[in-house]
């Protein structure tokens, strides 16, 4: 999250300085690049919140599964409840893993976009 904040700050600071040394065509291109970065940042923040919610859900379901596992051998209904809790826990772990993978891929792409912006839209010293 801090990386996103620093990257957006770098983008905001870089644009006025870049305007002095870039051609008008390059400035237009940089402005277009800058416009695309804000929605991507918002999308990353939403994906992070979703991932965090899925992590909390998986953790809670894991605790429920452990509780059900303790009394598994007490009766057939307890065994079914433990099996059901395990299935829910496994599904939650898969959903969390998918969200984490997607978040990491999107974050890598966003960081690359910011790096590209900084490389092409900031003046060389």
């Amino acid at each position: 999250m801090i990386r996103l904040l620093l990257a957006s700050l770098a983008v905001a600071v870089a644009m006025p300085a870049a305007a002095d040394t870039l051609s008008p065509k390059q400035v237009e291109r940089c402005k277009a690049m800058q416009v695309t970065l804000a929605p991507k940042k918002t999308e990353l923040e939403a994906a992070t919140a979703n991932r965090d919610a899925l992590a909390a859900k998986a953790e809670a379901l894991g605790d429920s599964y452990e509780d059900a596992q303790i009394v598994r051998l007490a009766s057939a209904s307890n065994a079914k409840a433990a099996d059901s809790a395990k299935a829910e826990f496994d599904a939650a772990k898969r959903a969390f893993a998918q969200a984490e993978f997607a978040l990491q891929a999107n974050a890598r792409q966003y960081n690359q976009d910011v790096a590209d912006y900084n490389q092409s839209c900031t003046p060389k010293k």
Side-chain angles (χ1 to χ4, degrees):
M1 191 62 78
I2 292 174
R3 252 190 255 159
L4 294 175
L5 179 63
L6 291 176
S8 64
L9 180 63
V11 168
V13 170
M15 192 59 210
D20 295 338
T21 60
L22 298 175
S23 72
K25 186 175 181 178
Q26 290 171 320
V27 169
E28 258 330 287
R29 182 177 158 274
C30 290
K31 285 181 182 178
M33 288 174 72
Q34 187 178 24
V35 167
T36 65
L37 293 176
K40 289 179 183 179
K41 180 180 178 239
T42 303
E43 181 182 320
L44 277 176
E45 290 169 348
T48 301
N50 181 49
R51 188 262 333 252
D52 292 346
L54 288 172
K57 180 180 177 182
E59 182 73 23
L61 289 172
D63 291 343
S64 295
Y65 167 62
E66 288 176 0
D67 292 343
Q69 194 66 5
I70 292 171
V71 294
R72 169 185 280 286
L73 299 177
S75 70
S77 65
N78 286 348
K80 285 182 183 179
D83 291 341
S84 175
K86 172 123 173 79
E88 289 179 22
F89 177 50
D90 288 343
K93 287 192 303 185
R94 280 192 300 278
F96 168 73
Q98 289 172 346
E100 178 67 21
F101 180 76
L103 176 62
Q104 288 181 12
N106 288 341
R108 265 192 308 277
Q109 183 60 51
Y110 177 77
N111 288 337
Q112 183 61 49
D113 292 346
V114 169
D116 291 345
Y117 175 86
N118 287 337
Q119 183 177 10
S120 62
C121 296
T122 56
K124 308 296 185 252
K125 292 185 180 189

